């Protein structure tokens, strides 16, 4: 495989009145770009929804667990291997094992930070626990191998022991609107169902802040880095990532606004030089005289053509929604990645 190989995913998506990602005051997140206020959805919010979808489209063994309940997780894995062990014995084994592994826990069995484990890593830790291993290196070796698909994509950071880190093979940008936004307020009231006729007024009133936007969303996957950690699962992982990125949406205030939409425009490329975020197409806000989507799509295509001619290399492959349906795009991306991997092996 070439030293540089990336799958870039670009999405334009219309979102009606909504508040899908809030700041600490409850307001929809925003950012200034090109001197204009834009609607913003954080990458963390979208990655959280993607990890939830992974659980639907991948097997349990392919998805990791991120938790502070380390003692409980290892104890459950131990019982899954040897159900005949008594709870007291299991708790003692797990406590000793975590100490040997250098994983700190409090009196309730919780680690001070979230720990990220793949199913394979949890099973291997459980086996070492049953065997009563005291060798920290054995535990570390287990935690350095067999990452789950989401761990390989999004990475793992262990501040207490950087040798256990996994570099993220994927990056997700904060989504921003292609145009200027102005947050609005919805004033609402709720009626007390048991109020008497002579009792006037609402039982509750309040406001909720919202906006609507045409979002530009971008993500990229480093295929070489992913292949290093996942091997034969790489092509499936890329397809899974693309599907989850395209189909998910953060769920903030969803019951209030019912804002579930799907992308209006999807453009995926296979690049052999470097990832290219094309948000520069919207540095000057789209005017929106006749809506934002059509002009946003035209701006995006024109900017991409300009970048390919004057700066970055043209992609090796392009898949575009409209010319192909989403299933064809996902299968095409998977096949192209498999083809590149085969070429690197000389097959």
């Amino acid at each position: 495989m070439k030293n540089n190989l990336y799958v870039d995913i670009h999405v334009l998506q219309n979102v009606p009145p909504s508040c899908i990602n809030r700041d600490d005051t409850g307001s929809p997140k925003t950012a200034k770009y090109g001197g204009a206020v834009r609607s913003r959805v954080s990458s963390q919010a979208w990655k959280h929804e993607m990890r939830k979808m992974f659980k639907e489209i991948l097997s349990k063994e392919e998805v990791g667990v991120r938790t502070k309940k380390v003692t409980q997780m290892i104890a459950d894995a131990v019982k899954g291997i040897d159900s005949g062990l008594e709870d007291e014995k299991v708790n003692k084994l797990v406590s000793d094992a975590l100490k040997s592994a250098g994983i700190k826990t409090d009196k309730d069995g919780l680690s001070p930070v979230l720990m990220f484990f793949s199913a394979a890593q949890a099973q291997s830790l459980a086996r070492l626990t049953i065997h009563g291993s005291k060798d920290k290196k054995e535990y570390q070796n287990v935690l350095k191998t067999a990452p789950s698909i989401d761990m390989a994509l999004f990475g793992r950071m262990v501040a207490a022991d950087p040798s256990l880190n996994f570099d993220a093979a994927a990056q997700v940008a904060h989504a921003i609107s292609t145009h200027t936004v102005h947050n609005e307020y919805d004033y609402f009231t709720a009626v007390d169902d048991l109020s008497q006729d002579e009792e006037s007024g609402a039982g509750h009133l309040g406001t909720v802040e919202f906006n609507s936007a045409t979002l530009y969303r971008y993500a990229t996957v480093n295929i070489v880095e992913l292949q290093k950690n996942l091997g034969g699962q790489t092509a499936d992982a890329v397809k899974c990532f693309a599907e989850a990125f395209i189909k998910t949406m953060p769920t903030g205030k969803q019951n209030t606004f019912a804002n579930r939409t799907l992308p209006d425009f999807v453009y995926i490329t296979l690049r052999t030089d470097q990832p290219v975020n094309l948000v520069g197409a919207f540095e000057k806000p789209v005017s929106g005289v006749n809506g934002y989507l059509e002009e946003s799509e035209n701006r995006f295509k024109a900017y991409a053509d300009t970048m390919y001619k004057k700066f970055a290399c043209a992609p090796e492959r392009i898949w575009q929604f409209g010319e192909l349906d989403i299933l064809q795009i996902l299968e095409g991306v998977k096949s192209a990645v498999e083809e590149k991997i085969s070429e690197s092996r000389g097959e």
Side-chain angles (χ1 to χ4, degrees):
M1 192 188 305
K2 294 185 178 182
N3 291 331
N4 295 321
L5 189 64
Y6 303 92
V7 169
D8 282 0
I9 309 170
H10 308 266
V11 168
L12 291 173
Q13 184 164 353
N14 270 323
V15 183
S18 58
C19 184
I20 60 179
N21 190 204
R22 290 168 279 174
D23 64 18
D24 58 333
T25 68
S27 300
K29 288 186 176 179
T30 58
K32 262 199 170 183
Y33 182 65
V37 176
R38 314 297 182 103
S39 177
R40 177 173 67 91
V41 182
S42 73
S43 58
Q44 294 90 334
W46 229 295
K47 285 189 285 190
H48 177 67
E49 293 305 316
M50 291 172 69
R51 288 188 67 237
K52 285 164 62 176
M53 178 171 273
F54 286 170
K55 295 177 181 178
E56 299 174 11
I57 60 182
L58 294 171
S59 68
K60 186 177 180 181
E61 291 72 27
E62 293 173 314
V63 182
V65 174
R66 190 165 52 182
T67 184
K68 289 185 176 182
K69 299 179 180 178
V70 179
T71 301
Q72 177 187 321
M73 186 190 71
I74 302 302
D76 289 345
V78 167
K79 290 178 182 179
I81 295 171
D82 189 346
S83 59
L85 289 173
E86 296 180 356
D87 288 348
E88 187 175 340
K89 175 69 171 175
V90 170
N91 291 337
K92 179 66 168 62
L93 286 171
V94 172
S95 178
D96 291 344
L98 292 176
K99 286 179 183 177
S100 298
I103 299 174
K104 296 179 180 179
T105 57
D106 62 18
K107 61 183 178 60
D108 297 317
L110 303 177
S111 63
V113 295
L114 289 168
M115 302 290 291
F116 202 179
F117 299 93
S118 68
Q121 289 170 349
Q123 287 295 305
S124 296
L125 286 174
R127 293 190 189 95
L128 288 176
T129 299
I130 292 172
H131 294 153
S133 174
K134 304 292 184 184
D135 188 349
K136 184 176 181 178
K137 286 186 178 180
E138 283 192 298
Y139 290 98
Q140 286 183 320
N141 288 337
V142 162
L143 293 172
K144 290 177 181 178
T145 59
S148 58
I149 285 178
D150 51 348
M151 187 185 297
L153 285 165
F154 297 134
R156 177 177 71 187
M157 187 185 77
V158 183
D161 190 351
S163 70
L164 302 180
N165 291 352
F166 280 93
D167 290 333
Q171 298 173 353
V172 178
H174 288 231
I176 65 168
S177 62
T178 64
H179 52 87
T180 303
V181 297
H182 302 285
N183 288 348
E184 301 177 70
Y185 292 86
D186 177 36
Y187 172 80
F188 65 89
T189 63
V191 177
D192 187 329
D193 290 340
L194 297 183
S195 64
Q196 302 299 313
D197 291 341
E198 62 272 15
E199 296 175 327
S200 62
H204 173 76
L205 57 85
T207 60
V208 59
E209 198 170 356
F210 68 93
N211 61 38
S212 58
T214 297
L215 297 175
Y216 169 71
R217 300 170 48 212
Y218 168 78
T220 185
V221 183
N222 183 333
I223 306 302
V224 176
E225 184 69 30
L226 197 60
Q227 166 77 3
K228 199 166 34 175
N229 289 322
L230 287 184
Q233 292 180 293
T234 301
D236 285 323
V238 174
K239 179 186 175 184
C240 170
F241 179 88
E243 180 176 0
F245 183 71
I246 290 168
K247 293 183 177 180
T248 54
M249 176 178 282
T251 55
K253 290 289 185 180
Q254 197 171 93
N255 289 343
T256 301
F257 291 103
N259 52 262
R260 287 301 297 258
T261 61
L262 290 171
D264 301 275
F265 175 77
V266 177
Y267 180 94
I268 301 180
T269 64
L270 183 70
R271 302 193 61 86
T272 55
D273 53 351
Q274 65 181 49
V276 179
N277 185 327
L278 296 172
V279 69
F282 312 111
E283 193 270 342
K284 179 181 179 182
V286 172
S287 64
V289 175
N290 295 304
Y292 296 114
L293 181 61
E294 183 177 358
E295 186 179 346
S296 296
E297 185 175 334
N298 291 339
R299 286 262 205 101
F300 175 87
K301 291 177 180 177
Y303 184 79
D305 287 344
T306 299
M307 292 298 289
Y308 299 158
K309 291 174 182 176
K310 296 185 176 180
F311 196 93
C313 297
E316 188 165 306
R317 293 283 302 277
I318 296 174
W319 296 269
Q320 186 173 314
F321 180 60
E323 298 174 0
L324 300 169
D325 64 34
I326 291 299
L327 181 59
Q328 289 173 319
I329 289 176
L330 295 174
E331 288 297 334
V333 171
K334 177 183 174 182
S335 296
V337 171
E338 288 175 333
E339 182 181 316
K340 289 297 181 183
I341 291 172
S342 295
E343 286 178 7
S344 69
R345 294 171 178 165
E347 296 175 1

